[in-house]
Structure formats: C-alpha cells, structure tokens
Amino acid sequence: MTTQPPPPHIELDGLPATEETLRIPALYGFGHFTALQVRDGRVRGLGLHLARLDAANRELFALPLDGDRVRELIRHALAGAGRRDASVRVNAYLPPGATRTTLMVTVREPAVMPSGAQSLMSVPYTRTAPHIKRPGEFGQTYYGVLAGRAGFDDALLTAPGGVVTEGSITNIGFRDGSSVVWPDAPALTGITMTLLEQGLERAGRPSVRRPVTLGGPDGVGRFSAAFVCNSQGIAPVRRIDDTVFAVDEELMKDLGAVYDSAPEDAV
C-alpha cells in the first residue's frame, strides 16, 4: 500500500491559505518563484535565492523584494508546518491594484534527487525569458511528460540548431578532460549550478561555459560524462537520446564534495 505524502502547508503573507487568498495564484499566474531545501533550519545559497527573488521582482513588478521579509515568512511557514527539514517554495505575485508583492510560501517534505543515472530526451523548446524562474511552464511539463512516455527520465531543452540549453527542471553539465563544461546558451542559472561553479573555483578547478550542441564538433558525444543538478541535488546522466555516457564516479564524488562545502545560512 502506497503511503501518500502529507498535504503541503501553505501561507500567503504569513497567514494560512484560504479559499479567498488561493485565488491569487489560481487567477493571477504571472509571477516568479524560487525553490530551496531546508535542513535543520539552514539553506545552502540562501543569499542567492534572496537575490534571485529580488531581481525577478524588480524586473516583473518594478518593486524591490526585501530579503528579511522573505526570511521571516519562510521561518513562519516552517514553524506553522512544524518542520526544520523541508522543501520550501516561495512564489511572488502582484494582483491587479496591489502595491505590495504577495508572497506564498509552500512547505512540503524534504526532497532528494534520485541518485540513479538519468536518461534525457532532447526536445526543441526554449523558455521565454529563461533567466527568470517562474510557475506555469506548460512547455517544460509537456515535454517532460512526452519524455517519460518515451522511456526517458526527463527532457533536455534545445534551441534552434540543436543547441543544448538546460533540462526541464535542471541545469546540465559535462566533463571534458578535467574540466566541467556548462552550456553557454540562454537558460536559468540555477542556485546549485552557481554553488558548484563557486566551489570548483575555490578548489582551483574553475568550470567553463561554452556552446554545446547535440551533434557536430561541439556535440554531446565529445564529452566523457554528464550530470544534472537542481535544488534537490546532483545526478549522473547515462544517456542523451542515443548518446551513452559512463557514470564518472570520481566526478560525482568531487561534485558532491564541492556542493557539501558550500556554506549553510540560517533562514
């Protein structure tokens, strides 16, 4: 018998969600969000999450978003859910006529990316304004579903000409010799990706960004290994379409150590 996870705890501006307040995300979907993992009340890259929210809020709503307010609302929601370990999502909306951003904080059980090697199906899709993390991405969900039906774990988004950009909910990286290569293409720079870049730099092994395509001289077949990452963790890639990669255990160990070395901040 499958045990269903408990329902999420949802608060809007520090108050428990109601039918009235849930009309905001239901009817006014234009907004942005960040997703983070909390462990013992602490978050890796918290400052990056707060900066992401503020930058997106300024671009979409022409309003700053105070980081202390965000932290206070996260703490309040964690306390309301009775959790110190959790998956937390902070959504920002500006309903018509409002002069202050509405923040919805959702608290769920903590999540960890499956450790098994993943298979990715390339799809021809690029997101509008990909530098902004936002809800309601039909295209990503649509192609993710198609990839699952075709026997893959997820979709790999590509721009015209087979230019690799990002996974449907992940960043993707490759190993070329001793270097980590990130696709140089329009994509969301994820918090985990940034923490890995910073950690590799501190370790004296800076990663690089350069164009990656499905085929040709810059094709995925030239790389010895690949991996995906997001707020839930890091996982190796075993296949992109018909291109097979060996799981580079040394690379995965190094990436895990780099990520674990990133400082944790109290919410």
Side-chain angles (χ1 to χ4, degrees):
M1 182 175 179
T2 303
T3 302
Q4 295 295 322
H9 178 79
I10 305 174
E11 295 183 0
L12 283 90
D13 291 336
L15 297 174
T18 65
E19 180 181 346
E20 179 74 23
T21 58
L22 284 175
R23 291 176 184 173
I24 295 173
L27 299 177
Y28 310 112
F30 184 72
H32 61 95
F33 76 97
T34 197
L36 47 93
Q37 293 294 317
V38 181
R39 298 294 184 270
D40 194 26
R42 306 180 71 84
V43 179
R44 284 192 174 88
L46 178 60
L48 296 173
H49 285 285
L50 299 178
R52 163 192 277 175
L53 289 170
D54 181 59
N57 213 66
R58 291 173 185 270
E59 182 169 345
L60 296 185
F61 306 141
L63 291 172
L65 190 54
D66 181 61
D68 288 338
R69 179 188 171 210
V70 175
R71 294 173 74 171
E72 179 183 352
L73 292 176
I74 294 175
R75 288 195 298 268
H76 192 275
L78 287 169
R83 290 189 176 277
R84 290 185 60 80
D85 296 341
S87 298
V88 173
R89 179 163 163 159
V90 181
N91 283 69
Y93 302 97
L94 189 68
T99 58
R100 189 187 194 205
T101 306
T102 293
L103 295 178
M104 181 174 74
V105 180
T106 305
V107 179
R108 294 183 174 88
E109 291 186 313
V112 178
M113 182 180 289
S115 59
Q118 297 192 10
S119 58
L120 306 177
M121 183 180 83
S122 66
V123 298
Y125 179 74
T126 54
R127 298 186 301 115
T128 303
H131 62 289
I132 297 177
K133 190 175 182 70
R134 59 194 187 276
E137 285 291 354
F138 175 86
Q140 289 168 263
T141 303
Y142 171 75
Y143 281 115
V145 169
L146 291 188
R149 289 175 181 170
F152 291 82
D153 295 300
D154 203 357
L156 177 66
L157 311 185
T158 63
V163 174
V164 173
T165 62
E166 56 190 334
S168 69
I169 56 170
T170 59
N171 289 113
I172 186 166
F174 299 88
R175 183 164 193 172
D176 187 9
S178 60
S179 298
V180 168
V181 176
W182 307 98
D184 185 10
L188 179 73
T189 301
I191 304 302
T192 299
M193 173 182 170
T194 300
L195 292 175
L196 291 175
E197 285 186 302
Q198 294 175 347
L200 289 167
E201 180 76 27
R202 287 194 303 271
R205 305 195 308 275
S207 56
V208 299
R209 299 193 189 195
R210 66 170 188 253
V212 176
T213 56
L214 293 175
D218 297 316
V220 296
R222 65 169 293 175
F223 298 104
S224 61
F227 64 92
V228 290
C229 61
N230 63 15
S231 65
Q232 296 183 9
I234 311 165
V237 172
R238 62 181 173 86
R239 178 164 66 103
I240 296 176
D241 297 333
D242 294 328
T243 301
V244 177
F245 300 92
V247 174
D248 190 327
E249 299 291 353
E250 179 185 4
L251 172 64
M252 298 311 299
K253 182 179 179 181
D254 286 349
L255 292 174
V258 165
Y259 182 71
D260 289 344
S261 72
E264 296 177 305
D265 301 303
V267 173

